[in-house]
């Protein structure tokens, strides 16, 4: 199924913003962290499933995903 680029971008921007709030980061810091550990690529690739899940669950999942690749944020 194809999803609009606009929908994906809006979702990823909102996800970065909520991740930043949860972890007391500036949005730019959250973006760099999530980009470094490829969480943004992961969400882009799995958007079809991710956008149907609760936001809090997706944030927990990407936090764990980053940890598996060396991220230190818990």
């Amino acid at each position: 199924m194809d999803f609009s680029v606009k929908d994906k971008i809006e979702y990823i921007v909102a996800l970065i913003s909520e991740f930043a709030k949860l972890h007391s980061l500036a949005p730019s810091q959250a973006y760099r962290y999530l980009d470094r550990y490829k969480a943004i690529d992961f969400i882009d690739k799995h958007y079809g499933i991710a956008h149907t899940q609760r936001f809090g669950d997706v944030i927990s999942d990407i936090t764990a995903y980053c940890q598996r690749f060396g991220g230190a944020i818990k």
Side-chain angles (χ1 to χ4, degrees), residues 27-46:
S28 60
Q29 290 173 308
Y31 169 79
R32 285 191 303 273
Y33 178 84
L34 294 171
D35 186 52
R36 178 178 180 185
Y37 295 106
K38 308 295 185 213
I40 293 172
D41 293 339
F42 180 82
I43 292 299
D44 181 41
K45 182 177 179 181
H46 300 288

Side-chain angles (χ1 to χ4, degrees), residues 3-18:
F3 298 99
S4 83
V5 172
K6 181 181 180 271
D7 288 343
K8 279 184 161 184
I9 291 171
E10 287 176 351
Y11 181 81
I12 291 170
V13 168
L15 193 66
I16 292 168
S17 178
E18 290 302 312

Side-chain angles (χ1 to χ4, degrees), residues 11-74:
Y11 181 81
I12 291 170
V13 168
L15 193 66
I16 292 168
S17 178
E18 290 302 312
F19 183 89
K21 287 178 192 174
L22 181 67
H23 296 292
S24 301
L25 300 169
S28 60
Q29 290 173 308
Y31 169 79
R32 285 191 303 273
Y33 178 84
L34 294 171
D35 186 52
R36 178 178 180 185
Y37 295 106
K38 308 295 185 213
I40 293 172
D41 293 339
F42 180 82
I43 292 299
D44 181 41
K45 182 177 179 181
H46 300 288
Y47 172 78
I49 295 170
H51 86 281
T52 66
Q53 306 299 310
R54 288 187 20 203
F55 228 56
D57 292 342
V58 175
I59 291 172
S60 292
D61 291 345
I62 63 170
T63 300
Y65 181 84
C66 291
Q67 288 172 345
R68 277 183 251 145
F69 293 99
I73 292 177
K74 298 189 186 269

